[in-house]
């Protein structure tokens, strides 16, 4: 396990905007409670609470990966209206303490969904 620091910073902040994820015209996630994770020089990633996803569209995948800063990730395919997006979603079931705020959240690959919308918080 590696700790975030000056050479590899990770910041987690509550996202003030509404985040909606679309696949085949269906909102598979819609939340006002996302966590924004900014890691080093990578683009920010929105982690969405499981309570705010359409769980019936998520099919567990065989894929897993390891991040030395976040822990073990598992993946999900998205299946919506007959459209399958393999390994489009990941989740850290037991993230390392430095990023514990992403527990019970999922994140999406932008190129495997139709849109990740950042909407006004209203």
């Amino acid at each position: 396990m590696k700790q975030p620091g000056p050479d590899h910073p990770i910041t987690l902040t509550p996202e003030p905007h509404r985040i909606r994820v679309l696949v085949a015209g269906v909102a598979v996630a819609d939340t006002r409670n996302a966590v924004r994770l900014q890691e080093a020089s990578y683009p920010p990633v929105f982690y969405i609470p499981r309570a705010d996803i359409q769980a019936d569209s998520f099919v567990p995948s065989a894929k897993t990966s390891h991040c030395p800063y976040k822990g073990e990730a598992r993946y999900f395919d998205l299946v919506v209206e007959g459209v399958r997006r393999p390994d489009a979603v990941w989740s850290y079931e037991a993230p390392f303490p430095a990023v514990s705020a992403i527990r019970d959240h999922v994140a999406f690959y932008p190129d495997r969904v139709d849109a990740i919308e950042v909407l006004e918080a209203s």
Side-chain angles (χ1 to χ4, degrees):
M1 171 178 32
K2 292 186 177 181
Q3 292 295 320
D7 294 338
H8 193 96
I10 296 177
T11 56
L12 295 115
T13 55
E15 174 55 47
H17 296 95
R18 177 180 170 202
I19 305 297
R20 186 167 58 184
V21 181
L22 301 173
V23 173
V26 174
V28 295
D30 192 342
T31 190
R32 289 178 171 82
N33 297 302
V35 173
R36 179 187 180 108
L37 185 145
Q38 180 67 56
E39 180 174 0
S41 61
Y42 301 115
V45 174
F46 298 111
Y47 280 82
I48 296 176
R50 287 181 179 265
D52 295 333
I53 65 171
Q54 297 298 321
D56 58 338
S57 297
F58 291 66
V59 178
S61 160
K63 181 176 177 165
T64 62
S65 66
H66 175 78
C67 171
Y69 294 94
K70 295 187 289 289
E72 300 296 324
R74 61 183 288 217
Y75 291 76
F76 299 87
D77 295 350
L78 285 173
V79 180
V80 179
E81 303 288 327
V83 174
R84 185 178 206 97
R85 303 288 172 84
D87 302 322
V89 182
W90 73 92
S91 176
Y92 291 92
E93 306 296 312
F96 293 151
V99 294
S100 63
I102 62 172
R103 182 185 315 274
D104 298 323
H105 288 64
V106 300
F108 298 82
Y109 283 108
D111 62 343
R112 298 183 190 175
V113 298
D114 296 336
I116 298 175
E117 298 178 331
V118 179
L119 307 165
E120 289 304 312
S122 60

